[in-house]
C-alpha cells in the first residue's frame, strides 16, 4: 500500500466535536471525488465511532479522542478513532445489534451502522486502557492528485 495522504487530529470528547470530525473526514476524502452517498456513509460511520467515545468511553468525564486517516493508492480510506477511556469488556457482545450499555435513547446500533457503511470495521479494546476503531471504505471516484 502506498500512502497518498494522511492526517492526525486530536479533539476533546465533547459533543460539539462530533460534527467537527465529520466535516474533517469529508474534506479529507474530497480529492478522491466521492459520491454524495460515499461521503454520507463515511461521515455517519465516523460520527458513530466518535459518539461512542463521548458517550461510553468517557462516561461522566472528558478525555481525548485521537483520529487519523490514510488514503492509499487504490482509493481505500482508513479512518482510525481511538480513545483512552474505560475500554470494552466484551467486544463481540458490544458489536451485537441492539446491545447497549447506555441509558434511555441509546439503540445499540452504533457498530452495526459502522459495519453497514464501511468495507471493513475492526475494534480493539482493553478495559481501563481504551478502544481503537478502524473504519475502511473503498471510494470509487477518480483521485484528483
Amino acid at each position: 500500500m502506498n500512502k497518498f495522504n494522511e492526517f492526525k487530529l486530536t479533539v476533546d470528547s465533547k459533543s460539539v466535536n462530533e460534527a467537527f470530525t465529520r466535516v474533517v473526514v469529508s474534506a479529507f476524502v474530497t480529492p478522491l471525488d466521492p459520491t454524495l452517498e460515499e461521503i454520507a456513509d463515511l461521515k455517519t460511520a465516523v460520527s458513530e465511532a466518535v459518539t461512542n467515545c463521548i458517550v461510553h468511553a468517557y462516561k461522566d468525564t472528558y478525555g481525548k479522542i485521537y483520529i487519523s486517516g490514510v488514503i492509499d493508492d487504490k482509493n481505500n480510506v482508513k479512518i482510525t478513532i481511538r480513545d483512552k477511556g474505560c475500554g470494552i469488556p466484551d467486544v463481540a457482545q458490544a458489536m451485537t445489534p441492539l446491545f447497549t450499555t447506555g441509558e434511555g435513547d441509546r439503540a445499540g446500533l452504533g457498530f452495526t451502522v459502522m459495519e453497514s457503511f464501511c468495507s471493513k470495521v475492526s475494534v480493539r479494546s482493553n478495559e481501563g486502557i481504551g478502544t481503537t476503531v478502524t473504519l475502511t471504505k473503498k471510494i470509487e471516484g477518480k483521485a484528483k492528485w
Side-chain angles (χ1 to χ4, degrees):
M1 170 185 86
N2 292 320
K3 292 182 191 176
F4 272 131
N5 200 11
E6 63 185 319
F7 79 92
K8 291 184 184 199
L9 173 70
T10 302
V11 297
D12 290 331
S13 62
K14 297 181 179 180
S15 293
V16 296
N17 287 327
E18 180 265 333
F20 176 66
T21 59
R22 290 169 55 99
V23 171
V24 168
V25 169
S26 63
F28 178 67
V29 300
T30 298
L32 296 177
D33 195 25
T35 64
L36 291 175
E37 183 177 356
E38 288 171 328
I39 290 175
D41 289 354
L42 200 51
K43 285 170 56 175
T44 300
V46 166
S47 178
E48 291 293 336
V50 169
T51 297
N52 278 352
C53 295
I54 294 166
V55 172
H56 300 290
Y58 297 115
K59 188 175 185 170
D60 301 324
T61 188
Y62 291 106
K64 299 293 183 189
I65 302 171
Y66 307 89
I67 304 169
S68 61
V70 173
I71 296 173
D72 72 13
D73 57 347
K74 298 189 184 332
N75 283 12
N76 293 303
V77 177
K78 184 182 285 190
I79 306 294
T80 302
I81 297 98
R82 183 174 59 87
D83 65 63
K84 293 182 180 179
C86 63
I88 301 170
D90 184 339
V91 171
Q93 182 183 39
M95 294 182 76
T96 302
L98 304 178
F99 176 82
T100 184
T101 58
E103 303 92 30
D105 62 348
R106 300 289 159 201
L109 293 172
F111 287 119
T112 303
V113 168
M114 289 180 233
E115 290 176 319
S116 68
F117 289 136
C118 294
S119 311
K120 181 180 177 185
V121 175
S122 87
V123 181
R124 289 181 299 121
S125 189
N126 292 300
E127 283 188 272
I129 295 173
T131 301
T132 301
V133 174
T134 303
L135 309 169
T136 305
K137 183 160 183 71
K138 170 90 171 156
I139 302 296
E140 298 300 328
K142 303 267 191 245
K144 297 178 180 176
W145 303 111

